[in-house]
Amino acid sequence: MPVLPWVTPNPARPDTHAYVMASRFEVRSLKDVPRFFLKSLVAWRQVRRAPGALGASLEARPFRKVFHTLSAWESREALYAYARAEPHRSVMTGLRAAMRDSTFTFWEVPVDRLPIDWDDAKRRIDARARDGATAPERRDGAPDGHDAAR
């Protein structure tokens, strides 16, 4: 499975916390996979220069039609500013019709625990999907600019 390894766009300030987001996207059809992957690379380039981005990684499982993202931010506000900014906003809006399902989960960690472990992130995503928990920001738990198709 292709993995874009953890990158650190901006150094974290010592003795602070990171706001972490992990997501799982499943596209409707194998024909949607190439488009989703190419569009995700556009967002990947954006995160590498986004203010407040402390780290990010992407995992693609194309034959399962599943993509995972994992990112850490200086704050919730920094994450949401990225999600609302172009090109990310248009990428997510443009991919809505291709989505079968999406799950988002958020938590905080001390910055000395970065990078985040993929196994931990996937356990959190699975738990979120199982219990159907919602975040206070939006009923579906997705930050602005994302569509949680559940």
Side-chain angles (χ1 to χ4, degrees), residues 31-142:
K31 71 180 178 62
D32 295 317
V33 167
R35 182 169 161 252
F36 187 95
F37 186 71
L38 290 173
K39 294 287 187 177
S40 70
L41 293 177
V42 171
W44 176 255
R45 281 191 296 277
Q46 179 186 356
V47 79
R48 293 182 65 130
R49 62 182 189 277
L54 301 178
S57 182
L58 171 73
E59 178 185 270
R61 296 180 146 206
F63 295 109
R64 292 187 182 178
K65 304 177 287 186
V66 172
F67 298 82
H68 289 94
T69 70
L70 181 56
S71 59
W73 300 84
E74 288 179 354
S75 65
R76 177 187 312 188
E77 294 76 22
L79 167 61
Y80 285 15
Y82 162 79
R84 288 188 303 265
E86 293 297 339
H88 184 273
R89 184 179 185 94
S90 293
V91 166
M92 290 297 101
T93 302
L95 289 172
R96 282 184 182 151
M99 300 309 302
R100 170 170 292 162
D101 190 31
S102 56
T103 303
F104 301 87
T105 189
F106 308 87
W107 70 100
E108 289 190 15
V109 299
V111 294
D112 62 2
R113 291 191 39 213
L114 298 177
I116 302 299
D117 177 69
W118 268 113
D119 291 336
D120 179 37
K122 288 179 183 177
R123 275 192 298 276
R124 290 172 184 265
I125 292 168
D126 291 345
R128 171 97 177 169
R130 257 192 326 274
D131 69 16
T134 58
E137 297 83 12
R138 278 188 25 195
R139 186 182 174 289
D140 60 16

Side-chain angles (χ1 to χ4, degrees), residues 6-27:
W6 186 266
V7 296
T8 306
N10 300 294
R13 291 185 323 265
D15 301 320
T16 60
H17 283 78
Y19 187 72
V20 178
M21 183 192 83
S23 61
R24 179 187 184 277
F25 300 98
E26 182 180 355
V27 295

